[in-house]
C-alpha cells in the first residue's frame, strides 16, 4: 500500500516536472528570467549540506517526490548555468508549504492556530507575510500538519522500540502497558501547545476538516495496534480500534482541563481506562466461552432427548 | 444589439494575430481599443483620455452600473487578501483609492484586536515592561502597514487624493504616478500587489505581470480583480443585453460620455477569459495561481504567489 502510494507520488511528480519542462521549452527566454526565487534557494541549502559526500547522497537527501532520472540531461536553454543540474533540485510547492507550516509551529503558543502564526513562520523563512495567503485563514492546514507530524513521530518511536525488542535489548511489554505508553507518548507531544489545543480541536471538527482529521486519527490508532502486535482478522479488529479511539479521545479531553503538576491526573485516568478495556475484553472472552459451554450443553441435552424419543418410538 | 453581436463574432473568429493582440502582446502595430483596431501608442493615448474624462464621475458611475455590487467585490478582494498589520501593499491602477481605503480599514481592525489581546496579556506585566513596550512604538494603530497607490492617470490620482482627505485617511497612504508596464519601484519591495479593474486597460499585459513579479518580495502575492467571462449561456445573454444597451446610456445620462462607457463594455469582451489569464500569470513566474469567480464569472479574482 505504501509502495503504491509512493510510486503514484513519484509518477505525479514526474508528470508535474515534465509539464514544467515542456512549458519552459515553449517559452525559453521568459522562464530563464523568472525562474523561481524561493524554491531554488531551498535546493541551494540542500546542496550545501552534503559537502564532502558523493553525488549519490545528493540525490538521496532531497525527500521523496524528486526523482527526475528521466529528466533529459541535454542542454536546457531555460535553466541558467550548471547545465541541467538546477532542474533536479527544485522543491515542490508542497514542500515549501511544509517548511512554512513547520516554522509557524513555534509561533502558535503566542498567536494561536491562526493565519498570523503562519505569517510569522513565513517571515522567519525570509518570505513575505503575504505567503500565509496560500493557506486557509482559519489555520486548518497548520493543525492538520501538526497532527500528521505528531503521528509520524509516534510511528518512528514505536518502530524504534520494536527494533530494540527484536534485537533482544528490551523486554516485550504486556499489551496494556504498551497501549498506555503509546497513548501517553502521543499526548505528551501536545504539551507545548496545550493552551491553544482546544481551539485546534474545534477547528478539526469543522465539516470541511472532518475527513482529513478522521483519517489521521484512524491511521494513528492503526499504527499503535500494529506495533502492539495485533494480527486479528475477525470482528475484534474493529472493536479493538474503536476501544482505543475512545480511550485516546477521552484522555485527550481530560488533558485539556487538567491542571495537576505533570498531568498526573491524566495519566492515572489513562491507566484506569486501559485497565477497564482489558477487563472488558477478558469478560467478553469469558462470556463467549461460557456462552459456548451453555450452547454445547443445550445441544447435548437436545441430542439426548431426541435419542430417548427415537428409542421409545422404536420400542 | 445584432450589429454589435456580429462585430463581436467576427472579431472572435479572427486568426492568431488578433488572439495575440487580445493577450496584450504586440503583434506589430495592431491592437484593440474596444472593438476598434489601433496602434499601441494610439491605444495608450485613447485610454488615458477615457479615464481623464470619467475621473470625476468614476465612483458614481461604478455605483450606478453595477448597482453598488462593485463595493462587495472589492470587499471580497480585501478579505481574500487577509492582510496582517505590517503588510506593504501596492495598488496599481488604483486611482480613486477604493482598495487602498478598504485595506487600511481592514488592517486597522485587525490591529485593534491584536492590541486588545496584548493589553489583556499586559495586565500581568510590571510598569517598567509596559513603559518599554510603548517605547518600541508597538501601539501604532496600523502596525506599520502601508499602501502605495499607483496610477498612470493624473486626474484619477487627484480624485483619489481628494477622497482621502474628505474621508480622513492620512497615515499609511502614498500616491505615485506610474505606468504598470514600467513601475517606478525597486525589486522585492512589496508584500501584496493588487490591480482592481485596471489590468484590462494595460496595453501590454505580459509586461505588467512581469513588473508585478519584479516588485514583489519572495512569498509575495499577486491579486487581480477583473471582469471576466460568463460561461452560463442564459446569464451571458442577459449580461450582454445589459452591457450594450443600458451602460452606455447610463454613461451619457450621468457622466455625459457615451463613448467612454462604450469602450468600457467592449474592452470587457476583448479581455482574455479566466483560464487564459491564469496561464499568462503562470508564464510571468507566479506559482499556485488560482481564480475565483464572483457572480458566475462576471468578475473573477486571480491570485498567484512569487515563490
Amino acid at each position: 500500500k505504501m509502495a503504491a502510494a509512493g510510486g503514484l507520488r513519484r509518477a505525479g511528480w514526474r508528470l508535474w516536472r515534465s509539464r514544467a519542462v515542456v512549458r519552459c521549452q515553449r517559452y525559453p527566454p521568459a522562464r530563464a528570467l523568472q525562474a523561481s526565487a524561493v524554491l531554488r534557494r531551498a535546493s541551494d541549502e540542500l546542496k550545501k549540506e552534503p559537502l564532502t559526500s558523493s553525488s549519490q547522497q545528493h540525490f538521496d537527501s532531497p525527500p521523496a517526490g524528486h526523482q527526475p532520472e528521466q529528466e533529459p540531461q541535454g542542454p536546457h536553454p531555460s535553466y541558467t548555468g550548471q547545465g541541467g543540474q538546477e532542474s533536479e533540485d527544485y522543491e515542490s510547492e508542497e514542500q515549501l508549504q511544509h517548511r512554512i507550516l513547520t516554522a509557524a509551529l513555534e509561533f502558535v503558543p503566542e498567536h494561536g492556530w491562526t493565519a498570523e502564526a503562519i505569517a510569522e513562520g513565513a517571515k522567519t523563512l525570509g518570505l513575505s507575510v503575504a505567503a500565509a495567503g496560500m493557506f486557509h485563514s482559519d489555520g486548518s492546514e497548520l493543525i492538520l500538519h501538526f497532527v500528521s507530524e505528531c503521528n509520524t513521530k509516534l510511528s518512528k518511536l514505536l518502530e524504534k522500540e520494536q527494533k530494540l525488542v527484536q534485537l533482544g535489548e528490551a523486554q516485550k511489554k504486556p499489551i496494556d502497558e504498551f497501549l498506555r505508553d503509546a497513548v501517553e507518548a502521543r499526548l505528551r507531544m501536545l504539551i507545548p501547545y496545550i493552551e491553544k489545543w482546544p481551539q485546534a480541536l474545534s477547528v478539526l471538527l469543522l465539516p470541511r476538516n472532518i475527513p482529513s482529521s478522521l483519517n489521521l486519527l484512524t491511521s494513528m490508532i492503526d499504527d499503535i495496534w500494529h506495533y502492539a502486535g495485533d494480527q486479528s482478522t475477525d470482528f475484534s479488529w474493529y472493536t479493538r480500534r474503536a476501544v482505543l479511539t475512545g480511550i485516546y479521545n477521552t484522555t485527550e479531553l481530560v488533558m485539556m482541563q487538567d491542571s495537576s503538576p505533570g498531568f498526573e491526573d491524566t495519566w492515572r485516568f489513562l491507566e484506569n481506562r486501559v485497565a477497564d478495556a482489558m477487563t472488558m475484553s477478558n469478560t467478553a472472552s469469558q462470556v463467549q466461552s461460557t456462552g459456548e459451554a451453555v450452547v454445547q450443553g443445550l445441544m447435548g441435552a437436545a441430542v439426548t432427548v431426541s435419542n430417548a424419543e427415537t428409542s421409545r418410538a422404536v420400542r | 444589439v445584432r450589429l454589435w453581436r456580429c462585430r463581436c463574432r467576427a472579431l472572435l473568429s479572427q486568426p492568431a494575430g488578433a488572439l495575440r493582440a487580445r493577450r496584450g502582446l504586440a503583434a506589430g502595430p495592431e491592437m484593440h481599443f474596444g472593438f476598434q483596431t489601433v496602434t499601441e501608442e494610439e491605444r495608450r493615448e485613447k485610454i488615458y483620455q477615457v479615464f481623464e474624462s470619467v475621473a470625476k464621475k468614476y465612483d458614481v458611475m461604478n455605483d450606478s452600473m453595477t448597482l453598488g455590487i462593485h463595493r462587495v467585490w472589492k470587499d471580497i478582494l480585501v478579505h481574500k487578501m487577509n492582510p496582517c498589520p505590517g503588510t506593504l501593499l501596492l495598488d496599481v491602477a488604483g486611482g480613486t483609492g477604493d482598495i487602498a481605503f478598504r485595506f487600511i480599514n481592514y488592517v486597522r481592525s485587525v490591529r485593534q484586536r491584536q492590541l486588545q489581546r496584548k493589553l489583556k496579556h499586559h495586565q500581568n506585566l510590571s510598569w517598567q515592561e509596559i513603559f518599554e513596550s510603548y517605547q518600541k512604538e508597538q501601539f501604532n494603530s496600523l502596525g506599520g502597514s502601508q499602501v502605495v497607490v499607483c496610477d498612470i492617470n493624473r486626474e484619477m490620482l487627484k480624485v483619489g487624493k481628494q477622497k482621502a482627505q474628505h474621508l480622513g485617511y492620512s497615515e499609511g497612504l502614498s500616491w505615485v504616478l506610474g505606468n504598470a508596464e514600467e513601475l517606478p519601484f525597486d525589486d522585492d519591495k512589496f508584500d501584496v500587489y493588487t490591480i482592481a479593474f485596471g489590468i484590462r486597460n494595460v496595453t501590454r499585459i505580459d509586461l505588467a505581470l512581469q513588473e508585478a513579479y519584479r516588485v514583489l518580495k519572495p512569498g509575495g502575492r499577486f491579486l487581480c480583480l477583473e471582469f471576466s467571462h460568463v460561461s452560463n449561456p442564459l446569464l451571458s445573454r442577459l449580461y450582454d443585453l445589459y452591457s450594450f444597451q443600458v451602460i452606455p446610456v447610463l454613461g451619457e445620462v450621468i457622466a455625459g460620455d457615451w463613448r467612454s462607457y462604450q469602450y468600457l463594455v467592449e474592452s470587457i469582451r476583448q479581455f482574455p477569459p479566466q483560464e487564459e489569464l491564469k496561464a499568462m500569470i503562470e508564464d510571468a513566474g507566479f506559482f499556485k495561481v488560482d481564480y475565483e469567480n464572483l457572480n458566475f464569472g462576471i468578475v473573477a479574482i486571480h491570485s498567484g504567489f512569487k515563490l
Side-chain angles (χ1 to χ4, degrees):
Chain A
K1 207 199 313 168
M2 302 287 270
L8 268 167
R9 230 185 309 129
R10 272 192 291 274
W13 173 246
R14 270 193 221 123
L15 261 158
W16 190 89
R17 290 302 304 155
S18 57
R19 189 199 72 172
V21 168
V22 164
R23 197 187 287 140
C24 292
Q25 287 167 351
R26 231 195 293 154
Y27 305 110
R31 240 348 184 177
L33 290 172
Q34 280 96 32
S36 154
V38 173
L39 294 185
R40 201 194 309 172
R41 226 184 286 150
S43 70
D44 290 339
E45 285 170 20
L46 287 169
K47 260 192 247 172
K48 283 193 209 127
E49 285 168 21
L51 279 173
T52 51
S53 55
S54 61
S55 60
Q56 181 63 34
Q57 198 165 353
H58 185 57
F59 275 107
D60 290 338
S61 50
H66 224 75
Q67 313 294 331
E69 297 103 44
Q70 35 221 57
E71 196 87 68
Q73 292 290 336
H76 261 140
S78 45
Y79 297 105
T80 52
Q82 294 163 37
Q85 192 74 13
E86 301 273 276
S87 61
E88 295 150 358
D89 303 316
Y90 279 107
E91 64 171 352
S92 72
E93 295 156 12
E94 281 85 31
Q95 284 163 347
L96 179 66
Q97 285 182 300
H98 260 258
R99 279 200 302 144
I100 296 178
L101 292 177
T102 315
L105 284 177
E106 69 174 273
F107 296 99
V108 166
E110 189 189 335
H111 293 279
W113 302 92
T114 56
E116 276 174 16
I118 303 179
E120 293 288 320
K123 247 203 281 190
T124 58
L125 289 181
L127 294 177
S128 148
V129 289
M134 282 195 280
F135 308 99
H136 224 276
S137 54
D138 60 7
S140 317
E141 279 106 333
L142 184 58
I143 303 173
L144 289 169
H145 171 83
F146 172 68
V147 169
S148 123
E149 290 281 311
C150 286
N151 291 355
T152 318
K153 261 196 276 184
L154 180 69
S155 284
K156 291 215 181 95
L157 186 70
L158 294 177
E159 194 182 335
K160 229 188 342 173
E161 280 181 14
Q162 193 189 45
K163 280 218 176 83
L164 288 178
V165 168
Q166 282 175 345
L167 292 173
E169 290 174 21
Q171 279 286 59
K172 186 172 163 69
K173 294 188 216 167
I175 278 264
D176 57 344
E177 198 184 319
F178 182 90
L179 293 179
R180 209 175 349 121
D181 285 343
V183 173
E184 187 179 329
R186 175 63 177 80
L187 288 175
R188 276 192 188 273
M189 297 181 200
L190 298 178
I191 293 182
Y193 307 98
I194 197 86
E195 272 176 41
K196 309 282 180 177
W197 193 245
Q199 177 199 357
L201 281 180
S202 65
V203 169
L204 284 177
L205 284 173
L206 288 174
R208 190 173 15 99
N209 295 327
I210 287 186
S212 337
S213 68
L214 214 52
N215 196 359
L216 287 167
L217 178 66
T218 49
S219 58
M220 173 191 62
I221 300 287
D222 217 6
D223 260 349
I224 298 181
W225 270 118
H226 170 77
Y227 286 108
D230 172 46
Q231 289 174 339
S232 53
T233 47
D234 54 354
F235 199 76
S236 68
W237 190 92
Y238 293 97
T239 48
R240 285 184 191 173
R241 273 144 189 80
V243 162
L244 188 57
T245 314
I247 296 178
Y248 177 82
N249 282 338
T250 47
T251 318
E252 195 179 18
L253 290 174
V254 165
M255 197 172 163
M256 291 300 106
Q257 43 82 56
D258 185 10
S259 49
S260 62
F263 296 95
E264 336 173 303
D265 286 347
T266 313
W267 310 135
R268 218 171 321 127
F269 177 86
L270 175 61
E271 205 178 315
N272 292 338
R273 293 290 77 70
V274 172
D276 280 348
M278 292 295 119
T279 5
M280 199 166 58
S281 77
N282 286 343
T283 320
S285 56
Q286 274 175 8
V287 164
Q288 200 184 11
S289 49
T290 316
E292 279 172 11
V294 166
V295 165
Q296 277 182 355
L298 284 174
M299 289 296 292
V303 166
T304 319
V305 165
S306 74
N307 284 346
E309 290 289 327
T310 37
S311 63
R312 206 182 330 138
V314 162
R315 227 183 298 128
Chain B
V1 172
R2 230 183 294 139
L3 178 63
W4 293 124
R5 282 257 191 80
C6 287
R7 285 186 65 176
C8 201
R9 242 180 260 135
L11 267 158
L12 287 175
S13 60
Q14 267 171 32
L19 183 68
R20 291 193 69 192
R22 231 161 48 113
R23 280 172 129 242
L25 300 170
E30 300 255 302
M31 292 226 77
H32 65 85
F33 175 75
F35 289 157
Q36 305 169 26
T37 322
V38 296
T39 64
E40 247 184 65
E41 256 320 299
E42 276 182 14
R43 186 175 195 268
R44 284 209 184 91
E45 240 190 78
K46 286 190 175 231
I47 292 182
Y48 193 92
Q49 283 165 7
V50 163
F51 282 94
E52 207 175 23
S53 66
V54 307
K56 295 217 171 58
K57 296 277 185 173
Y58 187 71
D59 292 319
V60 172
M61 273 307 296
N62 278 348
D63 274 333
S64 56
M65 282 193 297
T66 62
L67 308 172
I69 305 179
H70 74 107
R71 295 162 192 252
V72 177
W73 292 332
K74 288 169 184 164
D75 283 337
I76 294 180
L77 178 70
V78 176
H79 263 87
K80 193 173 164 111
M81 196 199 305
N82 194 13
C84 56
T87 304
L88 225 63
L89 169 69
L90 174 64
D91 184 21
V92 175
T96 52
D98 277 339
I99 303 288
F101 302 147
R102 283 176 172 76
F103 171 83
I104 291 180
N105 290 342
Y106 194 98
V107 162
R108 221 177 255 161
S109 67
V110 173
R111 183 67 181 155
Q112 275 213 344
R113 260 185 286 142
Q114 257 186 6
L115 290 177
Q116 276 177 353
R117 252 187 291 146
K118 268 204 189 132
L119 281 173
K120 263 196 257 180
H121 189 64
H122 276 190
Q123 276 163 11
N124 298 333
L125 295 186
S126 70
W127 283 113
Q128 180 65 24
E129 288 163 314
I130 297 179
F131 173 71
E132 273 166 12
S133 69
Y134 269 106
Q135 297 288 71
K136 280 190 263 170
E137 286 187 51
Q138 278 185 359
F139 289 87
N140 172 6
S141 76
L142 281 183
S145 332
Q146 270 197 34
V147 54
V148 178
V149 181
C150 177
D151 200 292
I152 196 176
N153 197 300
R154 226 177 283 269
E155 290 301 310
M156 296 287 277
L157 279 179
K158 239 202 292 186
V159 171
K161 275 192 225 177
Q162 285 171 357
K163 224 166 86 169
Q165 241 181 3
H166 181 68
L167 295 171
Y169 292 97
S170 51
E171 56 168 337
L173 203 54
S174 355
W175 307 86
V176 174
L177 188 70
N179 183 352
E181 300 166 8
E182 211 179 310
L183 290 171
F185 303 110
D186 284 332
D187 299 0
D188 300 341
K189 271 210 81 187
F190 294 97
D191 291 306
V192 187
Y193 173 110
T194 53
I195 182 163
F197 301 119
I199 203 164
R200 210 178 60 247
N201 304 311
V202 168
T203 312
R204 292 280 307 271
I205 298 182
D206 54 337
L207 288 182
L209 293 174
Q210 281 173 23
E211 279 293 284
Y213 190 86
R214 183 180 67 81
V215 301
L216 277 175
K217 282 192 211 161
R221 189 172 196 182
F222 169 85
L223 282 167
C224 165
L225 175 69
E226 192 52 81
F227 289 107
S228 204
H229 181 68
V230 179
S231 42
N232 181 332
L234 174 64
L235 196 61
S236 155
R237 267 207 281 174
L238 287 172
Y239 180 48
D240 281 350
L241 197 74
Y242 180 75
S243 303
F244 287 103
Q245 301 302 323
V246 176
I247 291 183
V249 175
L250 275 180
E252 183 57 44
V253 166
I254 299 182
D257 193 349
W258 169 289
R259 252 185 270 161
S260 300
Y261 289 93
Q262 186 69 37
Y263 159 72
L264 165 74
V265 177
E266 292 174 358
S267 67
I268 295 177
R269 295 298 174 293
Q270 290 287 62
F271 191 68
Q274 287 89 328
E275 282 295 331
E276 223 181 292
L277 185 60
K278 175 175 168 187
M280 288 168 79
I281 298 175
E282 279 174 346
D283 283 345
F286 290 98
F287 283 88
K288 286 195 83 66
V289 181
D290 201 16
Y291 62 85
E292 184 186 335
N293 276 342
L294 305 176
N295 287 117
F296 298 105
I298 296 182
V299 165
I301 300 181
H302 283 76
S303 156
F305 289 89
K306 174 176 176 172
L307 291 180

